[in-house]
């Protein structure tokens, strides 16, 4: 987009796709500022001219924002497109921002097609959606599509830290990491959770308060689960499952945390140098030495499958306990576990045959004698 603005190779329609809260509408507004900035079309709008400030304030007459979820019909779209032929009032381009465009009806899409095929020079369309599969291919083929990916956890964490530093709010780095992971790639969700965490923590953002707010499982609990699994202690595993239910925490979060811990252990076993950056590298290294690689892989597979099976279990607590018991039941046997069985088999083979008695011989003779006609 920046190169297109600098070189003047502008398209008439852009489609921004991606999950919620990754910046689709924000990018659309920035594009409108770049197109209508009084300093000229560029990738770096000044942000202080009348057009830029009006767009920031949401009162720029040539930026028309439409919520397709509320205006799905043909009449709504025709009314908007009829105004497209008129020249901009204050800016250089008339920009139409249609949010959640996949919610438009089939008739509304058809009425839009003609304008997308032969758009006026002064009109630019910016379409945003979280579900591009529901947009007709005839519309997709007339747009430049940009897929906005979910934000990585470190980027969200850094942004939250920047905001809290600017607001002079005390915070812990582990607390921000919890919020960033819970946001699942959405900065908007992360900001909502951050607001909640500030209120929950009485003005501070601390790890324990965020864990309580999110219902997150602390790592010590995951370590106790893994210790019981390594020791093949079924009683301890069930006790930890009961403890989770008593605390009212979500079993799905516990399984997710256990799967993440098993992933770190697998990384430490296969690529040890990559595990040096883990914040619990020492503990992970100890588990990597104590657990066979196949046991780690199998436990991870059972964990992610068990998370899906929670919905099928009689209740989540039962599903969680069954997942732990499955890890224990299917744990690979140690290399010397087959020795007792082999010894028993060899002992049976070397045991002397039973001594035949006269009574046994008479019984066999009677059975083999042909019956009288």
């Amino acid at each position: 987009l920046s190169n297109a603005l600098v070189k003047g190779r502008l398209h008439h329609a852009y489609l921004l796709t991606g999950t919620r809260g990754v910046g689709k509408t924000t990018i659309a507004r920035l594009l409108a500022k770049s197109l209508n900035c009084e300093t000229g079309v560029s990738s770096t709008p000044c942000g202080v001219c009348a057009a830029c400030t009006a767009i920031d304030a949401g009162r720029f007459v040539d930026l028309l924002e439409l919520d397709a979820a509320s205006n799905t019909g043909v009449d709504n779209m025709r009314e908007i497109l009829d105004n497209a032929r008129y020249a901009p009032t204050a800016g250089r381009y008339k920009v139409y921002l249609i949010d959640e465009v996949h919610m438009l009806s089939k008739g509304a899409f058809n009425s839009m097609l003609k304008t997308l095929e032969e758009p006026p020079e002064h009109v630019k369309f910016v379409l945003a959606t979280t579900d591009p599969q529901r947009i007709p291919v005839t519309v997709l083929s007339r747009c430049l599509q940009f897929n906005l990916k979910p934000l990585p956890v470190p980027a969200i964490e850094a942004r939250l830290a920047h905001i809290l530093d600017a607001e002079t709010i005390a915070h812990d780095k582990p607390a921000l990491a919890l919020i960033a992971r819970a946001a699942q790639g959405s900065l908007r969700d992360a900001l909502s959770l951050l607001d909640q965490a500030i209120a929950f923590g009485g003005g501070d953002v601390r790890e324990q308060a965020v864990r309580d707010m999110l219902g997150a499982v602390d790592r010590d609990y995951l370590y106790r689960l893994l210790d019981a699994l390594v020791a093949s202690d079924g009683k301890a595993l069930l006790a930890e499952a009961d403890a989770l239910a008593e605390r009212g925490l979500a079993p799905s979060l516990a399984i997710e945390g256990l799967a993440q811990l098993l992933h770190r252990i697998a990384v430490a076993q296969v690529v040890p140098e990559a595990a040096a950056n883990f914040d619990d590298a020492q503990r992970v290294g100890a588990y990597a030495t104590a657990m066979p690689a196949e046991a780690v892989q199998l436990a991870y597979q059972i964990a992610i499958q068990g998370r899906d099976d929670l919905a099928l279990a009689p209740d989540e607590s039962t599903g969680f306990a069954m997942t732990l018991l499955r890890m224990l039941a299917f744990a690979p046997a140690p290399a010397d576990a087959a020795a007792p069985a082999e010894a028993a088999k060899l002992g049976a083979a070397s045991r002397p045959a039973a001594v035949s008695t006269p009574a046994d011989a008479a019984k066999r003779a009677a059975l083999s004698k042909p019956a009288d006609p």
Side-chain angles (χ1 to χ4, degrees), residues 273-363:
E273 58 273 15
N277 297 326
F278 295 153
D279 51 3
D280 57 347
Q282 186 174 359
R283 194 69 181 262
V284 166
Y287 285 125
T289 303
M291 298 180 69
E294 60 271 20
V296 175
Q297 297 293 333
L298 183 60
Y300 175 83
Q301 191 65 34
I302 292 174
I304 59 175
Q305 185 62 49
R307 182 171 177 253
D308 292 338
D309 289 347
L310 286 179
L312 305 176
D315 56 75
E316 287 199 342
S317 297
T318 301
F320 178 56
M322 197 64 190
T323 299
L324 298 179
L325 292 176
R326 197 176 298 143
M327 291 181 183
L328 192 60
F330 289 98
D336 57 347
E342 292 297 329
K345 188 182 297 184
L346 291 173
S350 60
R351 193 178 300 125
V355 178
S356 179
T357 63
D360 293 334
K363 186 184 292 185

Side-chain angles (χ1 to χ4, degrees), residues 42-216:
S42 72
S43 60
T44 54
C46 68
V48 296
C49 67
C52 289
T53 53
I55 291 173
D56 286 337
R59 50 182 170 79
F60 189 65
V61 294
D62 290 322
L63 174 59
L64 293 91
E65 297 191 22
L66 172 68
D67 180 16
S70 304
N71 302 274
T72 61
V74 172
D75 294 338
N76 301 117
M77 187 56 58
R78 282 178 179 167
E79 181 182 351
I80 292 170
L81 296 177
D82 284 344
N83 294 325
R85 52 189 167 182
Y86 301 116
T89 302
R92 192 176 293 107
Y93 291 97
K94 188 176 286 189
V95 181
Y96 287 88
L97 169 55
I98 305 178
D99 202 6
E100 298 300 338
V101 69
H102 66 271
M103 298 292 289
L104 291 177
S105 65
K106 183 178 180 181
F109 275 122
N110 289 335
S111 66
M112 186 195 298
L113 273 179
K114 185 63 176 176
T115 307
L116 288 178
E117 288 174 352
E118 301 173 1
E121 288 293 329
H122 58 269
V123 172
K124 302 296 178 187
F125 287 93
V126 184
L127 315 179
T129 180
T130 56
D131 194 1
Q133 288 79 14
R134 292 171 59 183
I135 299 177
V137 292
T138 49
V139 174
L140 288 175
S141 64
R142 290 168 172 83
C143 300
L144 290 185
Q145 184 171 345
F146 296 89
N147 184 24
L148 307 185
K149 297 177 177 60
L151 278 72
V153 170
I156 296 178
E157 191 176 341
R159 185 61 183 171
L160 297 181
H162 171 77
I163 293 171
L164 293 176
D165 289 339
E167 298 287 341
T168 62
I169 296 175
H171 59 277
D172 293 337
K173 183 177 175 61
L176 299 187
L178 285 170
I179 295 174
R181 284 196 293 269
Q184 297 182 340
S186 170
L187 187 58
R188 184 197 303 147
D189 288 3
L191 294 176
S192 299
L193 290 173
L194 183 62
D195 280 340
Q196 185 179 352
I198 294 171
F200 190 88
D204 294 343
V205 182
R206 301 299 182 187
E207 180 182 8
Q208 189 56 50
V210 172
R211 284 192 183 279
D212 293 341
M213 181 191 78
L214 297 175

